[in-house]
Amino acid sequence: MLQTLLREKSFQAITLEDPVEREIHDILQVQVNEKAGITYQAGLKAALRHDPDILMVGEIRDKETAHFAFHAAYSGHLVLSTLHAKNAVGTIHRLKEMGIKKSDLHQTLIAVASLELISIITQPHLPSRAAIMELLDSNQLTNAINEKTVERPFLSFDHLRRKAFAYGFTTKETFFKGAAK
């Protein structure tokens, strides 16, 4: 996503990663090293001094990082990050567990995307996995934050796995394995 944004327009971007997984040209990438005192919090604080247009936090792992990432978003920076959760709605719950207030979620979140890899049926020379994505934005995001039912056209993982099975892209085993998560 970051590379796509950078292709669209020239932005000043800084990433904080543990570890830096992919080199991206024309941005500042900082590798977190807790033993050396380069924590996500220290890196975020230093990054904000450079006033980047986009700040990417490799992963929100704890309350402090979550709060600092939201603080950066309050000041108008586009903050991209990852967070371990079962699905898109689960991301909202995880952020609430980390102490992010509902009003802050409303004020800062633009969208929440969640990816799941599924095994697919392909030709022998093609990859055998593909990603399906849940995306919460707009009214669906508001409903998720307010703990209301997220309604169609929300495409949940369950719906996407069923669709992949119906089109013959997955096997029954893949469908039921994903559904049992």
Side-chain angles (χ1 to χ4, degrees):
M1 183 175 4
L2 180 59
Q3 286 179 307
T4 301
L5 286 170
L6 294 172
R7 272 193 301 261
E8 302 271 322
K9 187 176 174 188
S10 177
F11 289 107
Q12 181 181 352
I14 298 174
T15 71
L16 299 167
E17 303 173 70
D18 183 18
V20 172
E21 293 180 15
R22 173 187 276 168
E23 296 282 328
I24 303 174
H25 298 290
D26 300 324
I27 68 169
L28 176 60
Q29 292 178 275
V30 178
Q31 181 156 324
V32 172
N33 183 341
E34 307 245 342
K35 291 180 183 174
I38 305 171
T39 63
Y40 277 109
Q41 292 79 16
L44 281 166
K45 194 172 189 177
L48 289 177
R49 290 190 191 112
H50 293 279
D51 196 28
D53 300 307
I54 302 171
L55 183 58
M56 188 182 99
V57 179
E59 183 180 348
I60 295 177
R61 296 179 181 168
D62 53 42
K63 288 181 181 185
E64 294 78 22
T65 306
H67 285 274
F68 216 101
F70 273 76
H71 177 75
Y74 301 148
S75 57
H77 298 86
L78 175 60
V79 179
L80 306 174
S81 189
T82 63
L83 177 98
H84 288 278
K86 184 177 178 181
N87 52 34
V89 174
T91 301
I92 304 297
H93 294 291
R94 287 287 317 277
L95 289 168
K96 287 179 179 180
E97 286 174 357
M98 291 182 180
I100 304 298
K101 295 184 285 190
K102 188 188 290 190
S103 60
D104 293 338
L105 295 171
H106 280 293
Q107 292 296 313
T108 57
L109 291 180
I110 297 169
V112 173
S114 184
L115 298 175
E116 181 179 296
L117 291 176
I118 62 170
S119 297
I120 59 172
I121 300 168
T122 64
Q123 302 298 323
H125 65 283
L126 295 176
S128 60
R129 294 196 313 168
I132 55 176
M133 180 179 78
E134 289 184 336
L135 178 66
L136 287 175
D137 63 354
S138 206
N139 290 338
Q140 296 166 342
L141 180 59
T142 300
N143 286 343
I145 292 169
N146 291 329
E147 298 178 17
K148 294 181 180 175
T149 303
V150 179
E151 297 179 12
R152 292 195 183 270
F154 179 66
L155 301 178
S156 67
F157 285 142
D158 183 53
H159 173 83
L160 293 167
R161 280 191 299 273
R162 287 176 191 271
K163 192 172 182 178
F165 177 68
Y167 283 117
F169 294 120
T170 62
T171 63
K172 262 188 181 175
E173 293 79 25
T174 300
F175 172 74
F176 288 114
K177 184 173 130 187
K181 279 186 177 179

